[in-house]
Amino acid sequence: MGLFGRRKTVFVDSDVLVIGGGMAGCGATYEARYWGRDLKVVCVEKAHIDRSGAVAQGLYAINTYMGMQWGENQPEDHVRYARNDLMGLVREDLGYDIARHVDSTVHKFEEWGLPIMKDPETGQYQREGKWQIMIHGESYKPIVAEAATKAATKVYNRIMVTHLLMDKTNAKRVAGAVGFNVRTGDFYVFRAKAVIICAGGASHIYKPRAAGEGMGRTWYAPWSSASCYALPILVGAKMMQMENRIVLTRFKDGYGPVGAYFLHLKTYTENAYGDEYESNWYEHTKEIVGDYVDRQPMPTCLRNHAILEEIRAGRGPIRMVTKEAFQDPHKEKVGWENFLGMTIGQAVVWASQNIDPKHTNPELTTSEPYVMGSHATCSGAWASGPEDCAPDDYQWGYNRMMTIDGLFGAGDTLGGAAHKFSSGSFTEGQIAAKAAVNYVNDLGKDHPQVSEAEYEDLKKTVFRPLENYEVGRNEIVAGTVSPSYLLPLHGLQRLEQIMDEYVGGIGANYITNEPLLTRGLELLEMLKEDLEHLGAEDLHQLQRAWELQHRVIASESVTQHTMFRKETRWPGYYYRGDHPKLDDTDWHCFTLSRYDRESGEWNLEKAPVHHIID
Ligand code: SFD
Ligand code: AMP
């Protein structure tokens, strides 16, 4: 049993287990109770549900709201918008399903106490842009968490889920999950009839621009550690479009989002010499992507592309022209409040660097890539679509169920439906939970069983880094250097460098090619071998160790997908130097992968893109 054999094991039984209590997880927990009045609904969260996930700090806008009550937009319009932004490749059935339900979700948020700004003239929600509405959202997360907490049978905070459990007699059916309490070190075995993964996206798989002491400052939450991808990948669920990682235009050094500035303050950008530059790159971009360059609004990746090209041409930095907008006291107030309610670090960085946007146009930069299913990209698990509108190719079971029986997902976890954002992620959690409750009810007496041998083995695996450290620390040669273990931070830095240099990160100008990807995969394989020897000094480091494990498997998936798609589909997100153009003839398709944990092999295939909206 090793050094840690006597560690306590806690068993928790549930009908529906929700992994991750962020936006999607709160939506799933809330809705599972609505449809499953008598069911046992458990939510497990690695932090504390009141302030966890990407919305922990608050938000200043809800980016997905149709406004159907005022005839502003229809769900079909949102599908067209997301399809356009993703250069054609979205699961229209999934996006439509969210769009038709998202307004009523937002109305609930308001009912629960979220202050939504109103247009003083019309009394309607204050629009930031066509899809975005403005909120006083510092307490957005505690508000939705309260609804989920009241709905749950129990929320287990401070437990990091590390692995899924499969049914003893059916390896394609989920039976629960295991994890550990990051404060007490207890081992948890969650037995469940259905599992909904809502564990957020992935930051820190690429080397961030902010290194060293600023490392924790990234745009996406630094604690978004790819569990939502690793958990399904490791049990053989199919993933989609994992090459579609996102790069965001952000204010320099603080990673402050730009949407409120562009859309509400009506700011614009210029190069170092005060010139407009996007039109310089029109012909060049048209050669790469064809007519997609003429779509309105211009796809997010192409806006990045123009910035990157202008900088490569030596006319950087790119600045946002704020000086004009900030002359209006209302806009000045909104400009500052936007960050104080959402990304406080940006306001602090400006103060520390003597930047007052009223007098200085701040610099923009492009971020390191993140992996997300909820913002302007849609990487994630491949899920079954809604019964009434998903084409046959996209329908094999319950709505939002992955290719594993009983395993559902929502938010960043699921691929295909870009532009969900916070409201759409909560909505998708609701949709998944309704389907999961139906699944549980339909099971009857045929319940999945967990295998004792499986969870006992996992218990040893989960705590092994503590043991490695305990034994290996006797051999420390200098400071933190040991010949027999690897610390999580060192492993993370190695991962970030591999991804940066070989898989198109900032250091490589987002460019990669087949030889680079091939070498990147070899280096990832070597890193994986060394992960057996991760050493964790304490429970906090044990969590870091498992976050690293999850990031590495997700990174491998990104690399495999990037290798498979032999075109540059989204210039501005990444470039295949050996296939520099968009190729609609061969690649107007989804890429799917499946990892076989026995052989370690990845299987990649194409899936058709069906357009269900004209
Ligand atoms: O402007 C485990 N987002 C924005 N959405 C908006 O609607 N408006 C905005 O203004 C937004 N902007 C923005 C946004 C995010 C960030 C970081 C900033 C600014 C600075 C995007 C949304 O936040 C995002 O789309 C949703 O939050 C996604 O929801 P979800 O549920 O997929 O992820 P989550 O909320 O991060 O929650 C994940 C949870 O899982 C937990 N977890 N628990 C147990 N075991 C494990 N192994 C776990 N791994 C993770 C996490 O702790 C977390 O609670 S703007 O820039 O676009
Ligand atoms: P961001 O703050 O960049 O995360 O963006 C917030 C929202 O505004 C998202 O819905 C973006 O797609 C949208 N957005 C940001 N910048 C622009 C722009 N220049 N044009 C159109 N939409 C934008």
Side-chain angles (χ1 to χ4, degrees), residues 247-260:
V247 169
L248 287 144
T249 297
R250 289 293 176 252
F251 284 106
K252 189 164 177 297
D253 299 332
Y255 289 93
V258 296

Side-chain angles (χ1 to χ4, degrees), residues 46-167:
K46 76 171 175 177
H48 192 292
I49 192 169
D50 284 352
R51 280 280 172 196
S52 69
V55 181
Q57 231 183 127
L59 291 177
Y60 199 68
I62 284 177
N63 283 347
T64 309
Y65 181 74
M66 304 295 114
M68 283 187 272
Q69 59 175 324
W70 299 304
E72 291 179 313
N73 298 292
Q74 295 304 320
E76 291 81 355
D77 302 325
H78 193 261
V79 173
R80 291 185 194 104
Y81 164 62
R83 176 173 68 198
N84 179 40
D85 202 49
L86 270 291
M87 318 292 268
L89 308 190
V90 289
R91 278 278 303 269
E92 297 183 13
D93 57 322
L94 301 181
Y96 178 76
D97 201 19
I98 294 172
R100 64 181 165 181
H101 293 300
V102 72
D103 281 12
S104 58
T105 297
V106 172
H107 302 158
K108 270 197 206 315
F109 293 163
E110 192 175 33
E111 217 178 286
W112 295 340
L114 179 71
I116 303 182
M117 294 184 210
K118 302 277 171 15
D119 181 316
E121 273 163 32
T122 62
Q124 299 174 4
Y125 292 157
Q126 177 65 55
R127 279 280 172 199
E128 178 179 289
K130 186 172 167 59
W131 305 103
Q132 303 81 359
I133 55 172
M134 298 170 74
I135 58 175
H136 292 288
E138 187 277 341
S139 297
Y140 191 4
K141 187 64 211 300
I143 289 169
V144 299
E146 186 183 345
T149 306
K150 283 184 174 153
T153 307
K154 185 160 177 184
V155 176
Y156 288 82
N157 288 310
R158 312 269 178 222
I159 294 171
M160 177 174 182
V161 171
T162 55
H163 301 82
L164 295 175
L165 290 170
M166 303 308 281
D167 183 12

Side-chain angles (χ1 to χ4, degrees), residues 209-468:
R209 287 207 186 266
E213 64 181 12
M215 194 178 167
R217 179 90 285 274
T218 53
W219 166 71
Y220 212 44
W223 48 83
S224 299
S225 55
S227 299
C228 74
Y229 308 122
L231 293 171
I233 289 172
L234 288 170
V235 296
K238 278 192 185 176
M239 305 299 286
M240 71 168 289
Q241 214 149 278
M242 291 295 284
E243 70 279 23
N244 181 217
R245 63 285 178 82
I246 191 164
V247 169
L248 287 144
T249 297
R250 289 293 176 252
F251 284 106
K252 189 164 177 297
D253 299 332
Y255 289 93
V258 296
Y261 278 69
F262 278 132
L263 301 176
H264 188 70
L265 307 186
K266 306 273 186 279
T267 56
Y268 57 95
T269 54
E270 61 182 28
N271 70 13
Y273 301 99
D275 298 326
E276 183 277 326
Y277 58 90
E278 271 186 8
S279 54
N280 295 347
W281 301 105
Y282 175 80
E283 290 301 334
H284 155 87
T285 310
K286 189 157 187 140
E287 250 185 56
I288 304 175
V289 301
D291 291 343
Y292 288 101
V293 71
D294 296 318
R295 306 281 169 88
Q296 284 305 321
M298 184 193 267
T300 308
C301 61
L302 297 185
R303 290 201 305 271
N304 289 348
H305 177 65
I307 291 178
L308 293 171
E309 288 297 332
E310 190 69 5
I311 291 172
R312 274 179 211 137
R315 291 188 290 270
I318 302 301
R319 293 202 172 87
M320 182 175 279
V321 180
T322 50
K323 287 202 279 192
E324 293 165 13
F326 272 56
Q327 297 312 313
D328 172 346
H330 164 75
K331 289 189 173 176
E332 183 183 16
K333 181 167 161 279
V334 167
W336 282 105
E337 270 185 13
N338 174 53
F339 289 136
L340 293 170
M342 171 175 69
T343 312
I344 301 158
Q346 186 62 58
V348 176
V349 165
W350 277 347
S352 72
Q353 295 183 346
N354 292 348
I355 294 170
D356 180 345
K358 195 174 182 174
H359 305 297
T360 307
N361 291 329
E363 281 178 51
L364 296 176
T365 189
T366 49
S367 74
E368 65 280 3
Y370 308 103
V371 188
M372 298 185 67
S374 72
H375 201 277
T377 51
C378 48
S379 303
W382 179 240
S384 189
E387 292 75 9
D388 63 333
C389 63
D392 289 347
D393 283 329
Y394 306 159
Q395 209 174 146
W396 53 88
Y398 296 78
N399 199 356
R400 265 60 176 192
M401 192 171 86
M402 302 183 198
T403 52
I404 300 290
D405 280 357
L407 184 60
F408 296 77
D412 278 331
T413 305
L414 287 195
H419 293 271
K420 302 171 193 172
F421 294 99
S422 61
S423 48
S425 296
F426 189 100
T427 306
E428 195 172 45
Q430 295 177 277
I431 294 170
K434 182 178 178 186
V437 167
N438 284 337
Y439 171 85
V440 168
N441 289 338
D442 292 348
L443 276 183
K445 292 199 182 334
D446 175 24
H447 300 168
Q449 301 292 323
V450 303
S451 136
E452 187 179 345
E454 189 183 5
Y455 67 71
E456 285 299 344
D457 273 355
L458 286 171
K459 185 174 181 183
K460 285 184 214 147
T461 306
V462 166
F463 294 106
R464 188 168 301 133
L466 290 174
E467 200 165 338
N468 288 346

